[in-house]
Amino acid sequence: MTYRHRIFALLPAVILVGSIAGAAPDGADRIAPQDRESIGARLAELDVPFIENRGETDPRALYYTHTFGGDIFVTEGGDIVYAIPKGKARLALRERFVGGDGAATPRGDGEGAVRVHNFRGGARAGGPVSFAAVDLGAIYDGIDIRLEARGRNVEKVFTVQPGADAARIRIRMEGAGALAVREGGVLSAPTEMGDVTFTRPVAWQETDGRKENVEVAYRVDGDTYGFAVGAYDRSRPLVIDPLLSSTFLGGSDVDGMTSGLVLDDSGDIYVAAMCASPDFPTVYGGADTTWNGGSDVFVAKLSGDLTTLIACTFLGGSGLDGQWPGPNLARDSSGVIYVSGQTESADFPFTSGAADSTFGGDTDIFVAKLSADLSTLLACTYVGGSANDFTEGIQVAANGDVWIAGNSSSSDYPTTAGVWSETYLGPVGAYNGDGVITRLAGDLTTVTASTYFGGEGTDAISEFVLDPGGSIYVAGYTWTGQNFPTTPDAYDTTYHGAGDSFAARFDTSLTTLLASTLLGGAGEWDIAIAITRDPANGDIYLTGHTASSTFPATPGAYDTTYNSYLLSDAGDDVFIARFDADLEELIAATYLGGRKWESPCAVILDGTGYLYITGSTSSRNFPTTAGAYDTEYGAGGTTQYSGDLFVCRMTTDLNTLAASTFLGGSGGEFYGYMALDPDGNVVVAASTADSTTNDFPVTTGAYDETYNGGVHDYAGDVVVCKLDPLLQDPCVSVDGGAPDRGAFLFENRPNPFNPVTTIHFALPEAAPVRLSVHDAAGRLVRTLADGAFSAGPHALRWDGADRNGRPVASGIYFSRLASKKFIQTRKMVLLR
């Protein structure tokens, strides 16, 4: 098993350059500020060599390296010395391994990533030898220690061989005060010149060539630290639960305008949005690390704990790319990433053999295919006609087909023979005309099926979902009137006035409209935004916003009354509706909102009888629930259409709001996308225009804790946030202090279980904690412990019974570890 962590000094964001080739003769600096910042972002993860000391520095150092965060020395005895610049002074810290079995034997390993030369008297002399890493040898029996340098940090890698004890690793920090574990699991070393922090450690095993994560956290004792490791089985794959966290992502201009979101199997997070910042933080290895002008799309991969930008690439041409309604993301079974969005660039980077390599008109759709590490553009094509074309979603079918849907005002949008409609019926010159649905081959070389969908007015598709049984559901809105295409047995075939929502179902050949229904109230608009399908029974869930006081909410639903006191276009409520698979029955429908404007952006099911909805609200009285992460509205915002984000958890019968929280700062947030990670945690990516107060709740140790962007009504930076399934676990301290996130609630073993399981947790220091079990609705089932525990690992058994000793039913349950400083939650599955 291997542990890896990094040290980051809290330094001013300054790069000192001794000389620059090609500088102006008068010494003028021709590097623009945004370019310097971009260079700094890219160099942060650059491999840096360790250099063997041959008289260039202090003789006590065997090896040294110069990073952008300071100098690092490795002594003959295996100590690691950090010389960190702080203004004109330098801060010295020394790490010393204690309690070992033998002396360290540092030695260089691997050829350095760069060649090192000395220049003396204008002539190049023979340079010192550089290495990719330094091995310290077996200080502890069965534990190998390796140092690797990056642009601003050094990584310590501990490899614990079978039979060795990871708890023996102890490192003393000299030059700092008492160590502490802070929010995000980071290790903090206080010094007279400020805190120095170590990122939260990670751990993994390799099984059959696959890297599989293991739980690990810091343990501290005064000036010494080590590691607390969760239970692991060397014969089985392991899972780690990412920390609940949030982070900014952006450059100095406007980035955001909604965000595509998808997770991979390990919980790493891909996000995509519009980017107008030349200094957006791309990293080396991306398919395109150069901003192309106007606005680009960016695609970024973040670690599941939101502390590391793993990869990032631009995608675009010289025009405006990724503008409203923003890019979309999908991932196939092999991990390949697909992106769709809007482009106004005639030089967008299409690839050889693309289905369409010619820019068609005002705005085209693009579809791109990227390797999982974002290093390679595998395929890219235009899709569109001579007017405006927009996409509102992308999905990859099990057979590898790529689906997109959206809307078009192009009479020559590429359709295929024999589909439901090859003819554009919408108004000429409209921004939205007809809906469009298109299927492409997985290599993006062929449009295999494509149809218009709509009537003789304005129609638009907002989102779609694939049915594994062989059909596609689309949702959207129409101003067409009575000639909008519905099917005879649909729930509602009557147009109600100012604009209705619709849901429709096509076969995969797009030749047959299997079902189509309208949904709305009288006299005001109803706009469907998102759709999802319940795989258990085929029911369809639709969400959007409505200005209608006569929207058909059903008896017994959570809220049957329209809440806004404002007129349409200023005070819409969210609606959520549930249909049967044939769109013939409205099973349930509810309002959700406050006195001002609400709009949802996503609806997803968790498979336990609950659905999640997220979006934007400008209502201070938006309904929140007791114990939720944030029950106070925080936004100012510049328009009624952006305020705080909201995240809600509702029963699938739409009669109970189980949990609801605000998420935002005093600026404005605008909706994006949502997903669930493997443990049921809720991940939200959105835009924030938090341009003055920098108070969006990001976590200590997150990849970026500072707002970077420009001023805009709906965007500035992208934010990526994670909340626990019950929407209670805070992203930041709720009392103004930094919660202790060094504690760790591990996955229960076994999981699933019947009827007994063991719940493991570890504490960095002695503390009173409460360990409880809750059902899927968040109700307390049983308290397993409520009292003081010592530092270190602990384990408690749950026998599948409630507080009265009665066995509980099969289903989803949550273990919850709480103290005054933290709350952590884990999903458990009981199968009787």
Side-chain angles (χ1 to χ4, degrees):
M1 184 165 55
T2 303
Y3 304 85
R4 180 185 296 266
H5 65 146
R6 301 176 176 182
I7 179 171
F8 287 85
L10 301 185
L11 304 174
V14 176
I15 300 174
L16 302 178
V17 182
S19 63
I20 302 173
D26 59 1
D29 185 356
R30 289 185 174 177
I31 300 179
Q34 65 267 26
D35 294 330
R36 287 197 297 271
E37 293 171 11
S38 180
I39 291 168
R42 298 178 188 185
L43 292 180
E45 292 298 318
L46 179 64
D47 287 336
V48 176
F50 277 96
I51 301 168
E52 185 179 12
N53 184 12
R54 295 184 176 180
E56 297 86 14
T57 190
D58 191 307
R60 291 172 294 180
L62 289 183
Y63 300 92
Y64 65 95
T65 184
H66 304 296
T67 76
F68 298 107
D71 297 332
I72 301 164
F73 305 90
V74 182
T75 71
E76 184 176 359
D79 293 353
I80 306 167
V81 180
Y82 306 94
I84 303 169
K86 194 74 170 176
K88 295 182 179 180
R90 286 175 89 77
L91 170 66
L93 289 177
R94 180 189 294 262
E95 286 190 309
R96 177 166 290 169
F97 296 90
V98 295
D101 300 298
T105 56
R107 60 180 180 83
D109 183 37
E111 183 177 353
V114 298
R115 295 185 180 273
V116 180
H117 298 283
N118 288 337
F119 289 84
R120 296 186 180 127
R124 186 170 65 182
V129 178
S130 70
F131 297 93
V134 171
D135 286 333
L136 298 184
I139 298 175
Y140 306 97
D141 285 345
I143 300 175
D144 301 318
I145 305 171
R146 177 182 174 92
L147 307 178
E148 299 174 359
R150 296 288 183 264
R152 287 183 180 160
N153 60 81
V154 65
E155 296 179 0
K156 292 188 289 290
V157 183
F158 304 85
T159 302
V160 181
Q161 305 296 342
D165 183 6
R168 298 199 58 208
I169 300 171
R170 293 175 57 226
I171 305 167
R172 177 175 295 124
M173 182 77 68
E174 299 176 359
L179 305 177
V181 181
R182 302 297 187 194
E183 181 188 1
V186 303
L187 180 68
S188 177
T191 77
E192 60 184 12
M193 300 173 67
D195 286 355
V196 174
T197 59
F198 291 76
T199 60
R200 171 197 156 194
V202 296
W204 67 85
Q205 295 174 276
E206 288 194 5
T207 304
D208 297 328
R210 294 173 298 169
K211 182 185 291 186
E212 297 173 340
N213 295 324
V214 176
E215 300 284 7
V216 63
Y218 288 114
R219 293 181 62 182
V220 299
D221 182 9
D223 62 355
T224 303
Y225 70 91
F227 303 100
V229 185
Y232 63 95
D233 184 345
R234 297 182 184 275
S235 66
R236 297 184 354 178
L238 300 171
V239 178
I240 190 171
D241 184 27
L243 286 179
L244 309 178
S245 22
S246 62
T247 187
F248 287 108
L249 186 62
S252 59
D253 210 308
V254 174
D255 307 305
M257 293 293 284
T258 78
S259 306
L261 176 71
V262 68
L263 276 64
D264 68 13
D265 294 337
S266 67
D268 287 340
I269 299 164
Y270 292 88
V271 62
M274 182 274 290
C275 171
S277 297
D279 58 342
F280 190 90
T282 59
V283 296
Y284 277 106
D288 183 359
T289 58
T290 302
W291 187 70
N292 297 285
S295 65
D296 277 3
V297 171
F298 77 81
V299 185
K301 181 180 181 181
L302 292 154
S303 59
D305 60 5
L306 302 181
T307 62
T308 305
L309 180 61
I310 299 171
C312 187
T313 187
F314 290 118
L315 187 61
S318 58
L320 296 175
D321 307 304
Q323 298 284 325
W324 178 264
N328 308 280
L329 284 177
R331 177 178 172 271
D332 72 11
S333 58
S334 69
V336 168
I337 299 298
Y338 288 84
V339 194
S340 67
Q342 287 64 245
T343 177
E344 297 179 18
S345 297
D347 57 349
F348 200 88
F350 62 86
T351 52
S352 177
D356 186 356
S357 58
T358 303
F359 180 67
D362 296 337
T363 301
D364 269 9
I365 296 168
F366 73 83
V367 184
K369 180 179 181 180
L370 290 160
S371 59
D373 62 3
L374 307 184
S375 67
T376 306
L377 181 64
L378 302 172
C380 187
T381 186
Y382 291 111
V383 180
S386 56
N388 288 307
D389 309 293
F390 302 93
T391 178
E392 296 273 11
I394 184 169
Q395 293 189 36
V396 184
N399 66 357
D401 287 343
V402 178
W403 290 81
I404 60 172
N407 54 84
S408 174
S409 58
S410 299
S411 60
D412 53 351
Y413 184 88
T415 59
T416 52
V419 293
W420 184 80
S421 176
E422 300 176 44
T423 304
Y424 177 74
L425 298 177
V428 176
Y431 185 77
N432 294 332
D434 275 359
V436 289
I437 310 166
T438 301
R439 187 185 72 202
L440 297 100
D443 60 5
L444 307 185
T445 60
T446 310
V447 172
T448 56
S450 185
T451 187
Y452 289 107
F453 179 60
E456 294 177 358
T458 297
D459 309 292
I461 293 173
S462 299
E463 197 181 35
F464 69 95
V465 63
L466 298 177
D467 174 3
S471 59
I472 177 174
Y473 288 89
V474 297
Y477 50 93
T478 177
W479 277 269
T480 285
Q482 297 299 339
N483 71 341
F484 182 84
T486 58
T487 49
D489 295 326
Y491 159 72
D492 190 353
T493 61
T494 302
Y495 183 72
H496 297 92
D500 278 2
S501 296
F502 67 78
R505 182 185 186 187
F506 280 90
D507 68 337
T508 53
S509 68
L510 301 182
T511 60
T512 305
L513 181 62
L514 301 173
S516 179
T517 186
L518 294 167
L519 176 67
E524 298 289 352
W525 70 16
D526 306 277
I527 298 177
I529 298 295
I531 186 171
T532 193
R533 176 184 175 274
D534 189 338
N537 54 30
D539 286 353
I540 296 299
Y541 292 83
L542 202 66
T543 186
H545 55 91
T546 177
S548 175
S549 61
T550 58
F551 182 86
T554 52
Y558 164 71
D559 186 354
T560 59
T561 304
Y562 182 63
N563 296 280
S564 179
Y565 68 94
L566 299 174
L567 299 175
S568 64
D569 196 31
D572 288 21
D573 273 5
V574 172
F575 73 79
I576 306 133
R578 178 181 178 181
F579 288 97
D580 70 321
D582 295 323
L583 305 181
E584 296 176 358
E585 178 187 0
L586 181 65
I587 299 170
T590 186
Y591 289 105
L592 175 66
R595 289 172 64 83
K596 290 190 175 181
W597 171 273
E598 279 84 38
S599 180
C601 63
V603 57
I604 52 179
L605 293 160
D606 70 354
T608 70
Y610 292 85
L611 57 85
Y612 290 90
I613 312 101
T614 189
S616 301
T617 176
S618 60
S619 298
R620 292 185 179 277
N621 68 330
F622 185 88
T624 59
T625 53
Y629 163 63
D630 186 359
T631 59
E632 296 292 329
Y633 180 78
T638 55
T639 82
Q640 70 267 31
Y641 305 121
S642 66
D644 271 8
L645 301 175
F646 66 82
V647 186
C648 298
R649 185 173 189 251
M650 182 172 283
T651 54
T652 52
D653 59 11
L654 305 187
N655 65 15
T656 304
L657 186 64
S660 179
T661 184
F662 289 115
L663 184 60
S666 56
E669 280 75 45
F670 195 60
Y671 65 81
Y673 289 81
M674 175 175 56
L676 298 179
D677 77 2
D679 285 301
N681 296 311
V682 183
V683 182
V684 178
S687 301
T688 180
D690 187 8
S691 59
T692 56
T693 54
N694 197 38
D695 62 353
F696 188 92
V698 295
T699 47
T700 300
Y703 164 72
D704 187 352
E705 301 174 44
T706 304
Y707 182 81
N708 306 280
V711 179
H712 192 280
D713 287 345
Y714 304 110
D717 272 10
V718 172
V719 286
V720 185
C721 312
K722 186 181 288 190
L723 292 165
D724 79 302
L726 304 181
L727 307 184
Q728 296 173 340
D729 204 0
C731 291
V732 295
S733 171
V734 295
D735 60 6
D740 180 355
R741 301 309 298 264
F744 236 100
L745 177 62
F746 302 129
E747 183 185 12
N748 59 297
R749 298 286 183 180
N751 192 26
F753 65 97
N754 178 25
V756 178
T757 189
T758 300
I759 301 170
H760 300 265
F761 64 94
L763 301 176
E765 57 188 32
V769 298
R770 184 182 188 192
L771 181 65
S772 53
V773 176
H774 300 253
D775 64 16
R779 296 181 292 253
L780 177 67
V781 174
R782 185 170 174 181
T783 299
L784 301 181
D786 191 358
F789 284 81
S790 61
H794 301 277
L796 293 173
R797 297 172 72 252
W798 181 43
D799 59 3
D802 65 15
R803 71 188 78 181
N804 297 314
R806 297 174 299 207
V808 298
S810 296
I812 301 294
Y813 294 86
F814 295 96
S815 58
R816 192 165 187 257
L817 183 69
S819 77
K820 292 182 178 180
K821 294 184 177 182
F822 60 82
I823 302 171
Q824 295 181 34
T825 308
R826 282 282 195 171
K827 184 168 69 175
M828 307 185 293
V829 181
L830 173 59
L831 296 177
R832 292 194 183 275

